[in-house]
């Protein structure tokens, strides 16, 4: 099945962070190629997009490319559907993600793959109390090159995003 992707571009002038965050407001997905400085801090454009946009946001650390192995964290009910939608889009590719699900969210039944043609994705339990070190360990053991998290996840706070990009070393897709 062919997918239609619409894109456009405009030439604008102004402060990069302000112009990018304004443009991101009308987009469904915004991608930034180097969202972190070498010193481990989000650059001003990435920080502005993270805080100002309602669209999903793809951040790729310097010198990296989104790879073919993704993990999708399901730890919050509000944006679980957005994470599952992105995960299911990848499910038909070689980048089919592994779902990391908290027991509390699994119990709600909100994460059923109920869209046509959806293949069941493998999943493992993510402890409710898991913090960044546990997530880094999972990224390493699963050889993940990308991570999908809900924008309201505990892993989507700007400080956590900085650490995920610099220490985790993989692309990060914040789903909204």
């Amino acid at each position: 099945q062919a997918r239609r992707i619409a894109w456009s571009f405009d030439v604008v002038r102004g402060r990069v962070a302000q112009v990018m965050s304004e443009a991101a407001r009308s987009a469904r997905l915004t991608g930034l190629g180097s969202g972190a400085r070498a010193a481990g801090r989000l650059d001003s454009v990435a920080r502005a997009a993270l805080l100002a946009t309602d669209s999903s946001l793809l951040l790729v650390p310097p010198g990296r490319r989104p790879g073919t192995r993704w993990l999708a964290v399901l730890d919050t009910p509000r944006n679980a559907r957005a994470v599952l939608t992105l995960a299911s889009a990848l499910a038909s590719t070689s980048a089919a993600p592994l779902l990391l699900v908290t027991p509390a969210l699994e119990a709600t039944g909100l994460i059923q793959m109920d869209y046509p043609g959806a293949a069941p994705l493998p999943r493992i339990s993510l402890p409710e109390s898991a913090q960044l070190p546990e997530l880094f360990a999972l990224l390493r053991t699963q050889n993940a090159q990308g991570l999908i998290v809900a924008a309201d996840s505990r892993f989507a706070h700007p400080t956590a995003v900085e650490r995920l990009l610099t220490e985790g070393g993989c692309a990060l897709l914040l789903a909204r």
Side-chain angles (χ1 to χ4, degrees):
Q1 155 184 354
R3 294 181 189 204
R4 303 186 88 203
I5 298 174
W7 59 273
S8 65
F9 68 93
D10 294 312
V11 176
V12 295
R13 298 186 192 284
R15 298 185 62 180
V16 176
Q18 180 181 359
V19 170
M20 281 297 298
S21 62
E22 287 172 8
R25 286 188 184 114
S26 63
R28 290 181 64 200
L29 173 67
T30 302
L32 298 176
S34 58
R37 296 182 186 155
R41 303 282 302 169
L42 286 176
D43 63 24
S44 62
V45 176
R47 184 171 289 280
L50 180 64
L51 298 175
T53 183
D54 291 332
S55 68
S56 292
L57 181 64
L58 174 64
L59 298 172
V60 181
R64 300 290 178 133
R65 294 173 35 181
T68 57
R69 181 70 172 148
W70 285 76
L71 298 181
V73 175
L74 293 165
D75 66 339
T76 176
R78 190 168 135 228
N79 284 318
R81 180 63 55 198
V83 171
L84 283 171
T85 299
L86 290 168
S88 71
L90 290 172
S92 62
T93 71
S94 61
L98 171 68
L99 300 179
L100 306 175
V101 184
T102 60
L105 191 59
E106 182 87 59
T108 66
L110 291 174
I111 59 167
Q112 299 308 314
M113 306 292 266
D114 59 0
Y115 23 84
L121 294 170
R123 61 179 77 171
I124 59 175
S125 182
L126 178 69
E128 300 288 343
S129 62
Q131 297 298 318
L132 285 173
E134 291 92 350
L135 191 53
F136 291 145
L138 283 166
L139 288 167
R140 280 190 302 275
T141 60
Q142 297 297 324
N143 296 316
Q145 298 152 337
L147 180 67
I148 304 169
V149 298
D152 60 340
S153 167
R154 65 180 174 271
F155 301 114
H157 184 276
T159 304
V161 168
E162 286 176 344
R163 288 190 62 197
L164 283 165
L165 290 171
T166 57
E167 295 172 43
C170 63
L172 178 63
L173 180 51
L174 293 164
R176 297 189 169 129

